[in-house]
Amino acid sequence: MYAYPCLTVNLDSIRNNIHAMVELCHRHGVEPAGVTKLACANPEIAQAMVEGGITLLADSRLINLQRLERLPVKKMLLRLPAMSEVEAVVRFAQVSLNSEETTLRALSKAACQLGITHGVIVMHDLGDLREGCFFEEETLHLARTVTELPGLQLEGIGANLACYGGVEPTTNNQTELATIASRIEEALDVQLNVISGASSAGLFLMLRGGLPKAVNQLRLGASLLMGIGLNDDPVPGTCQSAFSLQCEIIEVKLKPSVPADSTALDAFGNKPVFVDRGIRRRAICAIGKQDIDINQITPRDSGILVIGGSSDHLILDITDASKIHHVGDIIEFDISYSGVLQCMTSEYVVKRCISSDNPR
């Protein structure tokens, strides 16, 4: 018997997505990095990535990279290293993204103490205003510093887009990144292995033929696992339903649609607003806002409405559902990227990976 709430992951769909994306990227001269943070480095999902042809796994959190240690591919830390974790960075990641000289010097010391060489991708800010050096001379100085520090290897240059500032990857800003990379190579007499242009947000630019040939890496997570790119648009040839959420009904009652004398704030400090639909058949499911933003889930039965929730309860209007539901029944939902991320992070949501080989 299964436990609920449950996030079900279809590994067959993910493998198909990964095969399609790896083949697509290779046709455009791009080596995709497989980002595991959406899956919290779930071992079965990470294994599916490797089986699909991913040769570099990337994550923002070291604890996730530690979970992936046994997989025989390179690992990359996506979030800038913290000074407090440099030893773990060089131990569990072969490459990291960097924008601070102080951190580079600490990584160099840690790498030398462990007798290893750690790869560095210098991050340049193309206007999204998240991580990276904003001025070209600062990026060049940082790259030069990497080449001068023992224990470090300058792997390349990278940029992040469409995560904080909503700046879309374009031919212009990707060409700017490639131009800076060329200037670094000329000034330092080095050959950069990696120009890491963007995340899944850069896929549609690549598909349109607008990605400069020099850009040879995209950091892909959402596209591999959920088949979506910029603005959550579906990527051609991929599946968008690899993840689904199942929740158990714990109450079914006929109740009014408007609370009696509602004057207080709800548990999250908001003033609730209600639509009066009269007496309705309502169901409560055993999941809440502690686990999932209820705006990020959509019942697969279009006759069911999500009408609200609290920290531990999800409230549904099931009056127009396609079938009569009872206590103990399971309601299934489609779920967004951020919804998957929340459920994967919540210890209260069971994770169940299924495939044709193991349909448990």
Side-chain angles (χ1 to χ4, degrees), residues 31-305:
E31 189 64 39
V35 178
T36 58
K37 68 176 182 178
L38 176 64
C40 293
N42 177 282
E44 292 180 272
I45 297 175
Q47 180 66 44
M49 284 186 166
V50 174
E51 291 171 355
I54 293 296
T55 58
L56 173 65
L57 293 174
D59 206 290
S60 299
R61 289 168 171 78
L62 277 173
I63 191 171
N64 287 347
L65 292 180
Q66 188 173 354
R67 292 189 186 114
L68 303 174
E69 187 177 15
R70 67 177 182 83
L71 290 175
V73 294
K74 289 178 68 173
K75 319 297 187 312
M76 178 167 68
L77 179 65
L78 289 177
R79 188 164 62 187
L80 304 180
M83 289 288 288
S84 60
E85 61 186 20
V86 290
E87 182 179 344
V89 172
V90 298
R91 189 182 297 275
F92 297 114
Q94 288 71 57
V95 183
S96 63
L97 312 183
N98 285 269
S99 65
E100 288 289 344
E101 182 175 341
T102 302
T103 308
L104 288 175
R105 296 189 180 279
L107 288 170
S108 170
K109 182 179 179 180
C112 289
Q113 287 174 342
L114 291 174
I116 59 178
T117 299
H118 182 73
V120 171
I121 293 177
V122 173
M123 295 300 284
H124 183 79
D125 190 337
L126 291 170
D128 201 63
L129 302 184
R130 204 176 75 174
E131 77 272 42
C133 306
F134 191 78
F135 300 102
E136 183 177 331
E137 57 269 27
E138 185 184 3
T139 302
L140 178 57
H141 170 74
L142 204 65
R144 186 186 302 277
T145 300
V146 176
T147 64
E148 294 171 349
L149 289 173
L152 299 185
Q153 171 69 39
L154 180 61
E155 288 289 329
I157 185 174
N160 178 74
L161 293 163
C163 279
Y164 170 69
V167 177
E168 181 177 349
T170 64
T171 299
N172 285 342
N173 58 39
Q174 295 295 285
T175 299
E176 179 184 348
L177 185 68
T179 299
I180 295 172
S182 179
R183 289 172 181 163
I184 288 173
E185 290 180 327
E186 182 178 354
L188 304 182
D189 191 25
V190 296
Q191 179 68 47
L192 299 181
N193 297 323
V194 175
I195 301 179
S196 188
S199 63
S200 295
L203 277 174
F204 295 116
L205 179 66
M206 183 186 77
L207 290 173
R208 295 194 300 267
L211 193 68
K213 289 184 178 180
V215 177
N216 60 5
Q217 184 188 87
L218 293 177
R219 306 176 302 276
L220 306 183
S223 55
L224 296 181
L225 300 181
M226 300 188 69
I228 56 176
L230 186 68
N231 300 323
D232 292 344
D233 290 337
V235 178
T238 64
C239 168
Q240 288 75 52
S241 57
F243 293 85
S244 61
L245 178 66
Q246 295 80 37
C247 302
E248 184 175 355
I249 294 176
I250 56 175
E251 178 184 284
V252 176
K253 300 289 185 187
L254 288 174
K255 293 186 181 182
S257 8
V258 178
D261 301 323
S262 175
T263 58
L265 301 179
D266 65 18
F268 290 81
N270 302 311
K271 177 62 179 173
V273 177
F274 303 95
V275 176
D276 190 350
R277 299 186 177 93
I279 301 294
R280 307 289 286 180
R281 185 174 175 86
R282 294 153 57 99
I284 296 178
C285 286
I287 192 171
K289 294 181 180 179
Q290 186 170 351
D291 309 297
I292 181 72
D293 178 351
I294 62 175
N295 295 312
Q296 303 302 317
I297 58 176
T298 304
R300 289 191 167 177
D301 182 340
S302 60
I304 297 176
L305 296 177

